[in-house]
Amino acid sequence: LPISSENDTALHCRRTRGWNRKMSEKKKAAGVPGRDKTNKAKINEKNDEKSGQSRLFHKFEPIFDENSRILILGTFPSVKSREQDFYYAHPRNRFWNILSKLTQEPLPVTKKEKIELLLRNRIALWDVIESCEITGSSDSSIRNVVPAKLERVLCVPQIENIYANGTAAKRLYDRYQREQTGREIIGLPSTSPANAAWNLERLLKAWNCIIRE
């Protein structure tokens, strides 16, 4: 029947609520689960616990100054880097060793020494991702990406080239950053210990392009 007045509308709503309440009580008595608004959140929490994924944020700043000539981008800090609040902190990552050999400078040990090495050689350093969900240090597990605001570094007019440390960094840059920056990125083999197929000698040859002749 059509609802013809405000009183009729109120009566219809009360009857509907009463019917819904009765049906809910019957379902509970029969052991039928009702709609639990927290169920979805609980399921998601369980899935995150199983996968080991959690949303993480990049906690340390990019390294650059007004003289930076190139920008090297990784994906997102590894577990070791997150623990030590600095880039490429895993003891078996070859990044700092490669830079030391290519620049013919002593291997930097402290954060201060690493920053000074970069700036002396006009190298800017950052990562493609500002925040994401990730399992451990696995680039392949990265999802729900929020890209870093690379314009902070790319506003430096002297930056000639952008390099990716590894195929994952290049892929993520091309997907999340290239349209915004309008700039190409040059892919280099990863310095990660996971890239065991590339020994130090091969990496040095590939990375030699970052040093101006």
Side-chain angles (χ1 to χ4, degrees), residues 65-87:
D65 65 14
E66 68 278 5
N67 297 311
S68 297
R69 180 180 58 82
I70 65 169
L71 170 61
I72 299 173
L73 294 172
T75 53
F76 189 77
S78 67
V79 171
K80 285 293 183 183
S81 291
R82 298 195 295 265
E83 289 173 355
Q84 297 186 29
D85 283 331
F86 204 68
Y87 300 91

Side-chain angles (χ1 to χ4, degrees), residues 35-210:
R35 290 176 62 191
D36 184 354
K37 292 180 181 180
T38 64
N39 276 352
K40 187 175 181 180
K42 288 177 181 177
I43 291 169
N44 287 338
E45 285 175 8
K46 287 180 181 178
N47 288 339
D48 285 345
E49 286 173 6
K50 288 178 182 178
S51 66
Q53 290 225 326
S54 58
R55 175 156 290 280
L56 298 175
F57 294 84
H58 204 301
K59 295 294 181 67
F60 36 96
E61 290 293 302
I63 310 299
F64 72 105
D65 65 14
E66 68 278 5
N67 297 311
S68 297
R69 180 180 58 82
I70 65 169
L71 170 61
I72 299 173
L73 294 172
T75 53
F76 189 77
S78 67
V79 171
K80 285 293 183 183
S81 291
R82 298 195 295 265
E83 289 173 355
Q84 297 186 29
D85 283 331
F86 204 68
Y87 300 91
Y88 305 108
H90 193 290
R92 291 195 292 120
N93 193 300
R94 280 84 50 97
F95 181 80
W96 297 109
N97 195 8
I98 286 169
L99 286 193
S100 169
K101 291 183 180 302
L102 291 178
T103 59
Q104 299 181 358
E105 294 200 25
L107 180 66
V109 177
T110 66
K111 290 181 185 179
K112 183 174 182 292
E113 289 172 351
K114 291 171 182 178
I115 292 171
E116 289 175 350
L117 172 66
L118 291 168
L119 297 183
R120 267 197 310 273
N121 291 278
R122 304 177 64 191
I123 298 170
L125 186 63
W126 207 5
D127 289 314
V128 174
I129 298 172
E130 179 179 304
S131 74
C132 64
E133 293 176 21
I134 184 171
T135 302
S137 302
S138 173
D139 286 341
S140 62
S141 73
I142 289 173
R143 61 180 180 139
N144 295 331
V145 168
V146 175
K149 295 177 174 61
L150 296 184
E151 61 269 19
R152 286 182 59 192
V153 178
L154 293 178
C155 65
V156 177
Q158 284 83 2
I159 290 183
E160 301 165 358
N161 291 313
I162 307 172
Y163 295 93
N165 187 352
T167 55
K170 185 179 188 305
R171 173 175 51 80
L172 290 165
Y173 176 91
D174 286 337
R175 180 174 180 182
Y176 295 104
Q177 298 279 15
R178 184 176 172 185
E179 185 176 346
Q180 284 71 31
T181 66
R183 299 185 63 166
E184 299 284 339
I185 191 168
I186 300 167
L188 295 172
S190 174
T191 61
S192 167
N195 186 20
W198 284 74
N199 60 26
L200 183 60
E201 184 179 357
R202 287 185 70 198
L203 287 172
L204 284 168
K205 288 179 180 177
W207 277 73
N208 189 58
C209 61
I210 71 169

